[in-house]
Amino acid sequence: MRTHTRGAPTVFFLSLLWPLVAPVAAEVDPSGGIPFMGGNYNGHPMLYFNRGDVEELQYAAAGTHRDMSRRIRDAGETMLERPAMYLPPWSPAEFSARWNEVYGNNLGVLSMFCVLYPHRAGALDLAKDYMERMAAQPSWLVKDAPWDEVPLAHSLVGFATAYDFLYEYLNKGQQERFLQVIGNASRLMYEKSYVRGWGFQYLHNHQPTNCVALLTGSLVYMTQGYLQEAYLWTKQVLSIMEKSMVLLQDVTDGSLYEGVAYGTYTTRSLFQYMFLVQRHFAISHFDHPWLLKHFAFLYRTILPGFQRTVAIADSNYNWFYGPESQLVFLDRYVLRNGSGNWLADLIHQNRVTEGPGQAGKGQRWCTLHTEFIWYDPGLVAKPPSDFGTSQLHHFEDWGVVTYGSALPADTNRTFLSFKSGKLGGRAIFDIVHRSKYKEWIKGWKNFNAGHEHPDQNTFTFAPNGVPFITEALYGPKYTLLNNAVLFSSADSGSCFKPWAGQVTEACDSKWLKYKVGLAADAQGKVEAAMERQGMVFIRGEGHSAYNPELKIRNFQRNLLLLHPQLLLLVDHIHLHPDSPTRAMSAFFHNTDLPFHGTKIDGVHGAFVSHGEDKYKMFWLDDTGYSNRGVVGYWNYPRGYPYNGSNYVNVTMPLRYPHTRVAYIFFGPGVDVQSFSLRGDDQRVDIYLATKDHTYTIYLLTGELPSKPLFAMVLLDHKKVVFEKAAAAAAAGAEDSSPDEVEEYVNVMEDNLQHVKPVFQQMERHILGQVLNTASFHKTAERLLQFSDKKKTEEVIEKMFAMSKKQGKGKGGKKVNLGEKLSESLPDIFAQIEVNEKKVRQRTSKRTYEDSPEEGEGAFMDYADGRKNRKGAFVKGHKFKEVHMVAMAGSEGLSSTASYIRLFLLLNTATFFLLLAMLLTRFQRGRSLHTQRCFYTILLIDCFILLYLYSSCSHTQC
């Protein structure tokens, strides 16, 4: 017995220790490690970090963050060298003459430069001059777009961030004037949130941009004691954005329907929102299902070479904002595996500094300060496990397939993309058409697909990483400015008679048609996307994107990547018997390189030259006919960021019941020697011979094919089969829309309940700071500025009298007089909510009468819903009580939490001391009775430790 027991202590006590360790290992921190401030602020800075964190940030700038700090320093030095180029103009006419987001965008990085390098001569003076010039403007709106608050939002978020970062360096006059500017701009944003589309058009880039600006302004205003207005502004922001976060759960693939470029515009602010609401209101979104998959949206859309991305929808060559900041955010708060840091570093290393693809001057520095703040150097940069090999990825919600993304640019490193999906993406389209989320959504008016293109069944191809067939970037919303097809038509409503494009194209607007009529129902579908033995097959169906009067039964586009430098595209058009359509016209684009016509053995084609290499394409139909293509350059009208696009246009006749047209695209490493095709009702056979290989492709196009195959390829003596069974499960997943989020209204309302306790804590904190000071009256008036005037004066006098009383209780115990004064106040937030509700009901009615489309649904009911501070019920859902716990080291840290932490530390030390003694001194030569006593003591101590750990976890001590 004695021998048996001596061998047990280590294992025995490890098993006792496991309950202490297991919860830590198993529990994922929902806060992402961001400390909750709990309404306990010690002045500025407070938005992203505290005053006590500044020295640590400066230390990091010289060490772990030196690469990022160098970019911040370079930006600051550039502005210091040429201030006339970067300072905002004093003249209001000049300031508002053009789109001016650059001023707010650059101010954020300039203020961070001053935080990290406060002793740099001239830096603070430049920043203060910058802010003075912005504060001198009567308006931050653009003269020619007074209805658009986006420029104002950029200015507000930059100005409020700089005010927070540089507060201690501003004189008293500047502090007061600049705060007034922030208040005025935030007040305007708040008012416009009820009448502008960004207040109720969800998942659109304007919404997080404007909401985060208003949130930033309200947090600064709150810190300065203007609690009532800041409370309304904050509640309005959260009422909008928390709905978006609920709706975003329906997007199952991590994508954003506006594309990669505008997607980074959205996430620039969306990620700031997630950080700020966690830090200031303990609202966590870091386990959001969309966020968990968003890395793929950035990783799977980059062309080889890490300089360009898929340019679907309105786009530049890559990203509008970041994406380094977004990637380090994902890594630190979501992924925790180093992949985000790795990709951010690779993108930065390969940044284009001159020519197409370079970052815009108005955006290039905007996210440097958040990248610095969010970067976690403890996450060692590490590529995803599949890096280095070409991967096929299907974004089922977006309707986009990519192959060969995020690879080094090299021979046979090929990128291929295809788009065929629902307007706005599957989530939005199904929300609209299936009437989901009826409490919030009233059809297309609650979304904005204006930045999308008429681009169903379009593709891009970059063999060897060289963009051969590209998107046409940010331009007019014409079908012919995408790699898409038009059909001959007698429709008088088409933009380019006698040709009819997709029903969403807009003839006289910069924005896509999507709200009403045929456009509202437009969609395409990816029917298959698979890889077999190094070959890729993709099929899309696009007839639903065209006018039904064309009587097109099927418009099937098939892509077969036979070799990294050889792509076969086959269009299959099946007409109804009474179809008036007699011809098709396909367009192919290259934004950089002009096309040149060519012809070999009666087969027409075109090519582009990239250095010494030529990238070629040829085409013919299933009768052997090949029409000469038209090459040219399409000039964009004024007002677009790009001049136009090079194109080749191929027009071919159509026959009833079906026509097949085949196109081959190949790089310099492939020499095509022969190309032909023939077909019947069920399939088309294509024969391709290159210098090295012979390809025979059997493509089954019939609605009821004789074999369960999409296609079969015979490569020399090898057979590659693309079977339908493999695509069936994927197609089912694409067709199935996720269920509506359960109790979605209560999910949003639950998060809104986090706001009021923070403001009530701020109220107590502010009153506690001004007791028995000359500023007491002024502070109390500021707190009650929107309450009843007569009652306000009575309350202030009562409070002032209380503040003069002895601040001691029985036995010399101190009384928290600030909290007592707060309790004597009327509920200042409930009062203003009631008043605001009445005002908004009147204005909402007027707005609806003036503009029914925008007025309805814009009003957020301000009823707090909480009967008391212990919890309440809204539509049968009990809210979780929000525990007001300040971060460690703040003024509001409770004595209870301090004692628990102290006892936990002492007891942990005692436990390990006793354990060490048992394992070293008492294991030999001691009686079994003595050892058992020690085991009993340690076991009791274990239970005490568990209790203390639980208490500490509960109070976040």
Side-chain angles (χ1 to χ4, degrees):
M1 175 69 181
R2 184 184 298 263
T3 306
H4 177 76
T5 309
R6 282 181 192 148
T10 303
V11 175
F12 176 68
F13 284 109
L14 282 176
S15 68
L16 289 179
L17 282 171
W18 179 246
L20 293 174
V21 179
V24 180
E27 183 180 343
V28 177
D29 185 1
S31 71
I34 300 170
F36 171 42
M37 298 301 296
N40 297 283
Y41 304 102
N42 187 23
H44 296 279
M46 48 72 67
L47 285 173
Y48 294 92
F49 49 84
N50 301 328
R51 188 183 304 170
D53 299 326
V54 171
E55 187 175 346
E56 185 179 338
L57 291 173
Q58 292 169 347
Y59 181 77
T64 57
H65 291 54
R66 57 184 172 273
D67 289 338
M68 274 161 281
S69 65
R70 184 177 65 250
R71 296 196 282 276
I72 292 172
R73 189 171 64 247
D74 289 345
E77 295 292 348
T78 301
M79 285 187 265
L80 279 170
E81 289 173 13
R82 290 175 284 179
M85 179 180 293
Y86 293 100
L87 283 171
W90 286 105
S91 166
E94 189 178 348
F95 185 93
S96 64
R98 59 188 176 88
W99 195 261
N100 53 30
E101 70 181 65
V102 61
Y103 301 127
N105 288 351
N106 286 349
L107 185 53
V109 71
L110 178 58
S111 60
M112 192 68 185
F113 175 61
C114 294
V115 168
L116 298 180
Y117 307 100
H119 304 298
R120 171 61 172 93
L124 284 167
D125 290 336
L126 179 67
K128 287 188 277 188
D129 186 18
Y130 202 120
M131 296 181 75
E132 289 283 8
R133 289 166 178 253
M134 291 193 71
Q137 306 303 320
S139 171
W140 287 337
L141 295 169
V142 174
K143 180 183 66 176
D144 294 334
W147 58 84
D148 193 341
E149 285 77 41
V150 169
L152 166 61
H154 284 269
S155 293
L156 175 56
V157 75
F159 194 87
T161 301
Y163 183 88
D164 179 63
F165 286 5
L166 306 180
Y167 183 82
E168 64 176 307
Y169 301 109
L170 305 175
N171 61 44
K172 190 68 175 176
Q174 288 173 325
Q175 290 173 356
E176 292 179 355
R177 275 188 297 109
F178 293 168
L179 182 64
Q180 185 178 6
V181 170
I182 292 169
N184 291 339
S186 300
R187 199 170 294 114
L188 176 61
M189 291 291 287
Y190 172 69
E191 292 297 330
K192 295 302 182 183
S193 71
Y194 288 98
V195 296
R196 296 284 195 244
W198 59 268
F200 53 86
Q201 289 179 336
Y202 301 103
L203 310 184
H204 183 255
N205 69 89
H206 285 195
Q207 190 171 80
T209 299
N210 293 357
C211 283
V212 164
L214 178 55
L215 178 62
T216 306
S218 68
L219 288 171
V220 169
Y221 223 49
M222 173 191 74
T223 308
Q224 291 297 313
Y226 293 93
L227 299 186
Q228 286 182 307
E229 269 196 297
Y231 176 70
L232 290 181
W233 300 345
T234 302
K235 284 287 289 284
Q236 175 66 351
V237 169
L238 266 65
S239 72
I240 294 170
M241 290 300 298
E242 289 304 313
K243 290 175 187 172
S244 281
M245 297 308 298
V246 170
L247 299 176
L248 201 55
Q249 292 191 45
D250 277 26
V251 182
T252 58
D253 60 7
S255 68
L256 289 166
Y257 73 99
E258 291 185 290
V260 177
Y262 267 106
T264 59
Y265 202 149
T266 296
T267 54
R268 159 191 170 261
S269 297
L270 183 62
F271 289 179
Q272 289 181 47
Y273 173 81
M274 291 181 183
F275 181 92
L276 291 172
V277 296
Q278 170 57 48
R279 176 173 168 83
H280 300 287
F281 303 110
I283 300 172
S284 174
H285 292 294
F286 297 124
D287 58 351
H288 195 289
W290 172 87
L291 194 63
L292 297 175
K293 291 195 172 184
H294 186 64
F295 177 75
F297 186 64
L298 297 171
Y299 179 58
R300 301 295 184 188
T301 54
I302 305 177
L303 272 66
F306 300 93
Q307 294 182 341
R308 298 192 180 197
T309 65
V310 168
I312 291 169
D314 281 341
S315 178
N316 61 358
Y317 285 93
N318 38 53
W319 312 273
F320 282 144
Y321 286 96
E324 295 94 332
S325 173
Q326 292 92 320
L327 285 165
V328 300
F329 176 95
L330 287 172
D331 214 348
R332 180 169 185 172
Y333 302 119
V334 183
L335 302 174
R336 304 295 303 167
N337 60 12
S339 294
N341 288 353
W342 166 81
L343 186 55
D345 186 52
L346 212 53
I347 287 172
H348 177 71
Q349 291 176 25
N350 291 278
R351 275 284 186 186
V352 177
T353 55
E354 295 291 337
Q358 64 177 318
K361 290 184 178 180
Q363 297 87 31
R364 56 180 170 169
W365 297 329
C366 180
T367 57
L368 290 181
H369 65 292
T370 51
E371 181 186 358
F372 185 93
I373 292 167
W374 293 333
Y375 174 66
D376 184 353
L379 297 171
V380 179
K382 180 182 177 182
S385 58
D386 61 9
F387 173 68
T389 59
S390 296
Q391 299 291 324
L392 185 71
H393 190 85
H394 182 194
F395 295 94
E396 70 276 1
D397 188 280
W398 194 18
V400 171
V401 179
T402 64
Y403 176 77
S405 62
L407 294 169
D410 201 355
T411 302
N412 290 337
R413 298 291 197 183
T414 290
F415 182 84
L416 177 67
S417 74
F418 183 75
K419 161 80 184 295
S420 194
K422 294 180 175 180
L423 177 64
R426 182 187 64 190
I428 290 176
F429 189 91
D430 288 354
I431 287 171
V432 170
H433 287 79
R434 300 183 185 183
S435 299
K436 297 169 69 175
Y437 304 99
K438 290 181 180 179
E439 294 287 330
W440 300 338
I441 305 301
K442 311 298 180 187
W444 274 115
K445 60 164 290 181
N446 288 112
F447 300 101
N448 188 338
H451 280 301
E452 283 203 65
H453 287 193
D455 59 0
Q456 306 307 333
N457 274 9
T458 62
F459 76 106
T460 66
F461 182 46
N464 303 332
V466 175
F468 179 17
I469 306 299
T470 74
E471 303 284 1
L473 306 181
Y474 199 143
K477 308 304 181 285
Y478 301 149
T479 306
L480 58 80
L481 291 180
N482 296 273
N483 301 312
V485 173
L486 291 81
F487 296 95
S488 63
S489 168
D491 180 15
S492 59
S494 59
C495 298
F496 301 98
K497 290 187 290 187
W499 298 102
Q502 298 181 11
V503 291
T504 51
E505 75 174 4
C507 304
D508 53 4
S509 171
K510 287 182 69 174
W511 316 119
L512 188 81
K513 288 197 299 188
Y514 67 94
K515 290 185 179 181
V516 295
L518 296 172
D521 302 322
Q523 60 179 302
K525 181 181 179 181
V526 175
E527 295 189 332
M530 58 185 73
E531 180 185 8
R532 297 287 183 273
Q533 301 182 47
M535 295 185 186
V536 175
F537 176 77
I538 303 170
R539 172 177 289 178
E541 175 55 57
H543 79 275
S544 296
Y546 294 87
N547 195 316
E549 293 181 2
L550 295 173
K551 301 294 180 68
I552 300 172
R553 185 167 178 172
N554 295 107
F555 168 34
Q556 185 187 101
R557 177 159 273 191
N558 301 271
L559 279 73
L560 256 170
L561 186 66
L562 302 168
H563 176 275
Q565 296 189 48
L566 177 59
L567 174 67
L568 169 68
L569 184 151
V570 179
D571 284 335
H572 165 77
I573 297 95
H574 189 173
L575 302 177
H576 285 287
D578 55 345
S579 172
T581 303
R582 292 293 176 264
M584 62 174 286
S585 187
F587 280 81
F588 306 92
H589 288 267
N590 190 305
T591 50
D592 300 328
L593 305 173
F595 287 98
H596 304 279
T598 186
K599 182 180 180 181
I600 299 177
D601 296 332
V603 179
H604 287 278
F607 67 91
V608 298
S609 297
H610 182 265
E612 298 295 321
D613 297 326
K614 291 184 178 180
Y615 291 81
K616 303 175 183 178
M617 62 178 291
F618 292 91
W619 54 85
L620 76 165
D621 69 9
D622 49 0
T623 67
Y625 176 69
S626 178
N627 192 23
R628 181 181 179 182
V630 177
V631 299
Y633 186 84
W634 191 281
N635 288 292
Y636 293 172
R638 289 185 60 185
Y640 290 95
Y642 298 97
N643 295 325
S645 176
N646 302 286
Y647 68 88
V648 55
N649 175 214
V650 180
T651 300
M652 301 289 275
L654 295 179
R655 297 168 301 280
Y656 173 79
H658 44 66
T659 304
R660 286 72 169 253
V661 181
Y663 312 80
I664 54 170
F665 306 83
F666 53 96
V670 172
D671 182 11
V672 176
Q673 297 179 338
S674 66
F675 168 41
S676 64
L677 72 156
R678 59 182 174 82
D680 56 28
D681 288 349
Q682 293 298 314
R683 78 181 200 198
V684 58
D685 302 340
I686 302 103
Y687 303 95
L688 263 173
T690 69
K691 184 179 179 181
D692 301 313
H693 301 287
T694 300
Y695 299 87
T696 303
I697 300 102
Y698 303 103
L699 185 65
L700 283 74
T701 59
E703 294 178 346
L704 297 172
S706 56
K707 295 182 180 180
L709 306 176
F710 287 114
M712 182 170 65
V713 179
L714 300 180
L715 169 59
D716 299 331
H717 301 293
K718 182 174 72 173
K719 182 168 70 174
V720 181
V721 178
F722 298 94
E723 65 282 357
K724 283 197 169 183
E734 185 179 359
D735 290 338
S736 62
S737 181
D739 294 332
E740 188 177 80
V741 174
E742 186 178 354
E743 292 193 10
Y744 61 90
V745 174
N746 293 331
V747 171
M748 184 269 291
E749 291 283 358
D750 204 1
N751 283 339
L752 288 186
Q753 302 312 308
H754 290 235
V755 176
K756 193 172 184 178
V758 172
F759 277 83
Q760 288 172 330
Q761 174 65 13
M762 278 294 297
E763 180 187 8
R764 291 189 286 268
H765 184 68
I766 290 170
L767 288 173
Q769 284 185 323
V770 297
L771 291 178
N772 299 314
T773 67
S775 62
F776 182 85
H777 269 89
K778 183 179 179 182
T779 303
E781 288 172 356
R782 182 183 294 180
L783 287 174
L784 297 165
Q785 68 181 125
F786 290 98
S787 302
D788 182 84
K789 188 173 183 182
K790 184 177 179 180
K791 291 182 179 178
T792 296
E793 292 173 355
E794 296 174 0
V795 170
I796 291 175
E797 289 303 321
K798 181 181 177 182
M799 291 167 57
F800 188 69
M802 290 178 63
S803 72
K804 292 295 184 183
K805 291 183 179 179
Q806 180 79 20
K808 296 276 185 178
K810 290 182 180 180
K813 184 179 178 180
K814 288 189 177 181
V815 177
N816 189 335
L817 195 53
E819 187 162 344
K820 191 173 180 182
L821 285 170
S822 175
E823 295 296 333
S824 71
L825 276 174
D827 189 336
I828 61 176
F829 306 110
Q831 281 185 1
I832 194 172
E833 280 187 323
V834 170
N835 297 338
E836 187 71 4
K837 182 178 180 180
K838 293 176 181 177
V839 172
R840 292 302 158 192
Q841 282 176 335
R842 291 196 298 269
T843 57
S844 179
K845 183 178 179 182
R846 285 201 303 270
T847 304
Y848 181 75
E849 290 169 351
D850 295 339
S851 175
E853 184 178 341
E854 292 198 352
E856 186 183 351
F859 172 66
M860 166 60 194
D861 191 344
Y862 267 99
D864 187 38
R866 289 171 53 144
K867 303 300 180 186
N868 54 59
R869 295 186 181 182
K870 297 298 182 184
F873 293 87
V874 174
K875 295 187 179 179
H877 177 79
K878 190 177 190 304
F879 289 116
K880 295 178 290 184
E881 178 65 12
V882 181
H883 297 284
M884 293 305 305
V885 182
M887 64 173 290
S890 70
E891 252 181 56
L893 187 66
S894 69
S895 59
T896 303
S898 299
Y899 284 129
I900 291 174
R901 183 171 58 184
L902 177 63
F903 283 128
L904 178 63
L905 292 173
L906 290 174
N907 210 64
T908 303
T910 303
F911 176 84
F912 282 106
L913 178 63
L914 291 171
L915 182 62
M917 290 176 63
L918 178 66
L919 295 177
T920 56
R921 301 187 60 181
F922 287 89
Q923 215 180 105
R924 296 181 182 178
R926 301 289 177 178
S927 69
L928 182 62
H929 177 72
T930 304
Q931 291 191 28
R932 283 176 175 172
C933 286
F934 259 84
Y935 293 157
T936 304
I937 294 170
L938 282 174
L939 186 61
I940 293 170
D941 203 45
C942 267
F943 286 116
I944 295 172
L945 273 175
L946 283 170
Y947 173 77
L948 289 172
Y949 176 81
S950 175
S951 301
C952 193
S953 177
H954 180 71
T955 60
Q956 298 184 10
C957 67

